[in-house]
Amino acid sequence: DTGVSQDPRHKITKRGQNVTFRCDPISEHNRLYWYRQTLGQGPEFLTYFQNEAQLEKSRLLSDRFSAERPKGSFSTLEIQRTEQGDSAMYLCASSLVGSSSHEQYFGPGTRLTVT
Amino acid sequence: AQTVTQSQPEMSVQEAETVTLSCTYDTSESNYYLFWYKQPPSRQMILVIRQEAYKQQNATENRFSVNFQKAAKSFSLKISDSQLGDTAMYFCAFMKQSGAGKSTFGDGTTLTVKP
């Protein structure tokens, strides 16, 4: 069990560019979540997958955002035509359906800076 | 919709002393879970303690304990014998029992333990 990993850890991009982040959950976890955390605030839910199915998306997730989990393992989050307001920490978490602890295990995050 | 409020943006405590972090929440749900997560500087978020709403007994984990007041919708975290390694941002989080695991977070309390 190597924990949840995210890549890259930091990304600086110019406004208007597209970026893609990757999340590798704990291997046996079937749920995967994306959150966004801006400075001084708590994480805000963006979307989640159960296996490969995307079951819920927040209204925060505009049309410029898309997430996939093609084989029910790793997930990608793509932001098209980035805006300065997209600058934030993007957190990935995973969990196991039926776990008695209901704990979500978080990755280290990808910090996005849009210039 | 659920909301979580942490009214103390910053707190400090002397090493070895006790500190209490406050959290209130608003929900119409009857069955839910509450969590405290710790996010050390530049490190990933980890679970500190959790509480099931149906349990009257307050959860404890070593030096960490909670005071759960369901009627008042209050969920405070007490850290005893504070250690330098407790310095971190602490987030209170709410999860509906029926909510597929997504969590609603407060905006956090930055705790500094002073030597």
Side-chain angles (χ1 to χ4, degrees):
Chain A
D1 180 357
T2 57
V4 179
S5 62
Q6 293 186 245
D7 184 69
R9 296 290 305 276
H10 303 274
K11 179 71 177 179
I12 300 173
T13 191
K14 292 186 178 180
R15 189 178 55 185
Q17 298 294 305
N18 299 343
V19 294
T20 300
F21 310 141
R22 175 177 170 129
C23 171
D24 286 88
I26 293 172
S27 58
E28 64 269 25
H29 284 184
N30 41 20
R31 280 191 180 150
L32 186 149
Y33 309 82
W34 286 99
Y35 291 87
R36 181 172 68 188
Q37 185 179 18
T38 52
L39 200 61
Q41 295 191 331
E44 295 175 292
F45 170 77
L46 292 178
T47 188
Y48 93 95
F49 294 83
Q50 183 158 320
N51 299 315
E52 66 275 9
Q54 187 175 18
L55 297 185
E56 187 173 347
K57 294 196 295 185
S58 162
R59 287 174 295 175
L60 294 174
L61 215 63
S62 76
D63 292 344
R64 296 184 297 105
F65 289 69
S66 62
E68 294 182 339
R69 194 183 183 198
K71 297 183 179 179
S73 56
F74 72 92
S75 175
T76 58
L77 178 68
E78 180 183 17
I79 308 174
Q80 296 182 328
R81 304 181 304 281
T82 52
E83 301 173 354
Q84 286 188 324
D86 297 331
S87 295
M89 176 77 85
Y90 290 84
L91 297 172
C92 176
S94 69
S95 69
L96 183 63
V97 175
S99 165
S100 60
S101 72
H102 308 282
E103 179 179 354
Q104 294 184 346
Y105 293 79
F106 283 83
T110 294
R111 182 169 295 284
L112 173 66
T113 302
V114 181
T115 62
Chain B
Q2 285 66 232
T3 59
V4 177
T5 302
Q6 294 179 247
S7 59
Q8 306 151 313
E10 295 182 2
M11 294 192 72
S12 63
V13 63
Q14 292 295 131
E15 196 174 6
E17 294 189 346
T18 296
V19 64
T20 299
L21 309 183
S22 300
C23 173
T24 58
Y25 59 95
D26 189 24
T27 185
S28 58
E29 300 285 328
S30 300
N31 300 312
Y32 51 87
Y33 308 98
L34 295 164
F35 305 86
W36 278 98
Y37 284 91
K38 171 185 177 181
Q39 189 176 40
S42 301
R43 296 181 64 184
Q44 61 207 78
M45 198 172 326
I46 57 173
L47 179 68
V48 174
I49 197 166
R50 66 181 175 93
Q51 174 80 41
E52 293 91 342
Y54 64 85
K55 288 186 177 179
Q56 291 188 336
Q57 186 173 8
N58 289 323
T60 62
E61 287 287 342
N62 301 314
R63 298 183 295 108
F64 299 88
S65 61
V66 299
N67 183 2
F68 172 50
Q69 303 289 329
K70 190 172 184 180
K73 295 180 181 174
S74 170
F75 182 61
S76 61
L77 174 69
K78 186 171 82 171
I79 306 175
S80 304
D81 186 27
S82 297
Q83 301 176 359
L84 296 178
D86 295 333
T87 292
M89 195 149 191
Y90 288 81
F91 292 98
C92 178
F94 173 99
M95 179 192 294
K96 291 193 299 184
Q97 187 175 34
S98 60
K102 72 175 186 181
S103 297
T104 301
F105 288 81
D107 285 340
T109 296
T110 300
L111 176 67
T112 302
V113 180
K114 298 180 178 179

